[in-house]
Amino acid sequence: MKVSVKKKTPSHDIPVVISTEFIKLQDAMKFANIVYSGGEAKQLILEEQVKVNGEVCTMRGKKLRPGDRFEFMGQSYLISIHESN
């Protein structure tokens, strides 16, 4: 019998739209309403509960640019840029 294991991938990304070149990870978590404060974000990041582009990240000041993803509690968030006309 052949058994295959599939890596669970998030069903869809929640967009986090920014109007700047980058956003710091802890600020992105606040902006996406995941946490109420920077202190809460810092704690979760240091407890290795957040992934950036598929890897655990412990740098709360990690710069996220459009196209980057971060994950928390099984949900994926995609950093996007706001295009002005």
Side-chain angles (χ1 to χ4, degrees), residues 6-26:
K6 290 185 179 182
K7 185 176 181 182
K8 184 178 179 182
T9 56
S11 58
H12 67 282
D13 297 323
I14 295 175
V16 177
V17 182
I18 61 173
S19 58
T20 57
E21 180 182 349
F22 65 87
I23 187 169
K24 292 181 181 179
L25 177 57
Q26 72 175 21

Side-chain angles (χ1 to χ4, degrees), residues 49 53 57 59 75:
Q49 294 188 36
N53 295 326
C57 181
M59 299 183 304
Q75 183 60 60

Side-chain angles (χ1 to χ4, degrees), residues 53-66:
N53 295 326
E55 296 184 13
V56 172
C57 181
T58 57
M59 299 183 304
R60 63 189 172 122
K62 172 78 173 163
K63 292 179 180 176
L64 303 177
R65 301 179 190 282

Side-chain angles (χ1 to χ4, degrees), residues 37-51:
S37 69
E40 185 180 359
K42 175 184 175 182
Q43 189 65 35
L44 294 170
I45 293 166
L46 291 176
E47 290 174 355
E48 300 183 350
Q49 294 188 36
V50 181
K51 289 183 178 182

